[in-house]
Amino acid sequence: MNVCRILFYGFRHGHVYGLYKRVMASEDAAVAACVEEDATARAEAEAALGAVFSDKSYEEWLSGDIDAVAVGGAYGDRGAAIIRALEAGKHVIADKPICTDLAELERIETLAREKGLQVACMLDLRYLPQMLAAKRVLKSGRLGEVRNVSFNGQHCIDYAHRPAWYFEKGKHGGTINDLAIHGIDLVRMLTGMEFAAIDAARVWNAYAVRHPEFKDAATFMARLSNGAGVLADVSYSAPSQVFSMPTYWEFRIWCERGLLTMCYTDSAVTIYEEGSADPIRIEGEEAAENWLSEFLCAAKNGDRSVTENVIRSTKTALLIQKAADKEKQG
């Protein structure tokens, strides 16, 4: 496989536009075709990307000359689409979340393992310069063992631009599964530890006033494998300027000998080290890879680490979402 031919299936969320643009710019991948059953989503992608859509169905393309499928449909539809692609022997790269159901995830994991296929996800926080710098600091042992982690991943409800299907029954799958997977994946990457226990999780309606059944506020408390606590808020609670605010994907990692902080809007990390009077800024470092290049490399050489990471982060998010849904019902 010299150039990976990728079928784009679904343009129901703007995130997939970024994947499309990256594939178009890649020397190692090419857009084989685009399929989208929804007329509105198709027209929007045509206008925004110049994407050309095929008259052939998804099933027809799965039996055709493609190597992989990029899945960008409504969240609740993604699991089934990914399973169909894997059953057809195609690699998969998708926007997050890859599915909304633990049974679907188990089937995805089984198919990927049995068929030697890759499942990648657009988990971009782990490739940011500040996050790579944070990983280097933590790995060096400078601050000692991680003891507590907190992060904010608030977004805005943004009725003007949020896809209408978010509020359709069975399409969204929960705010924790939607948003927290980014933070969960990053915490796993930075600490090298897995989430070992869920202590509390809650979802409720607070900001989506037009849809009182939509649980847009979400918090949880969990533990890492060394007993360190994790406290997170991933609510749709922020104002529209959230993407320029220092609270957008803000992480605080408390260690034996100090605190490490970073956020999406600052390319450096700040540490407050025991015995040092002043905070210390450490500049970020550019990533050698990104989620697309790592996927393409894994599809060629069979490295299972990309797929295994996506499965673990997704499973953790789904388990926390399940705990929150159970608490809500109780």
Side-chain angles (χ1 to χ4, degrees), residues 221-242:
M221 182 169 62
R223 275 175 277 174
L224 299 178
S225 53
N226 74 337
V230 179
L231 187 63
D233 186 326
V234 293
S235 303
Y236 279 103
S237 55
S240 59
Q241 66 267 35
V242 59

Side-chain angles (χ1 to χ4, degrees), residues 148-165:
N148 284 293
V149 178
S150 60
F151 67 84
N152 296 313
Q154 290 96 339
H155 285 56
C156 53
I157 198 65
D158 191 14
Y159 271 121
H161 301 96
R162 189 69 56 192
W165 57 259

